Amino acid sequence: MTGRNTVMGKPTPMDHESAGRISAAADRDPDSPTARSGFDERAQEAADRNEAAEED
């Protein structure tokens, strides 16, 4: 096994545009892991929190 250096980039906060894409994908395929896990709802909640934090 070769040693690989994994560089983690700066995390990108969830925004409403990204949450909308995730939600649309879940709506297109309700049986997808994204839809079944509720990730679309969590993404929207995170976008709402991030927007509120920016307003403060």
Side-chain angles (χ1 to χ4, degrees):
M1 183 170 173
T2 62
R4 284 205 242 171
N5 293 332
T6 303
V7 177
M8 299 288 288
K10 181 179 177 185
T12 304
M14 182 63 67
D15 59 19
H16 282 105
E17 181 180 353
S18 299
R21 286 193 305 271
I22 292 166
S23 183
D27 290 345
R28 280 192 304 272
D29 185 2
D31 293 326
S32 70
T34 298
R36 290 192 321 242
S37 72
F39 181 64
D40 56 330
E41 293 172 6
R42 293 193 310 277
Q44 185 63 48
E45 291 168 0
D48 291 343
R49 279 192 310 273
N50 291 335
E51 181 177 294
E54 287 178 4
E55 291 175 0
D56 289 341

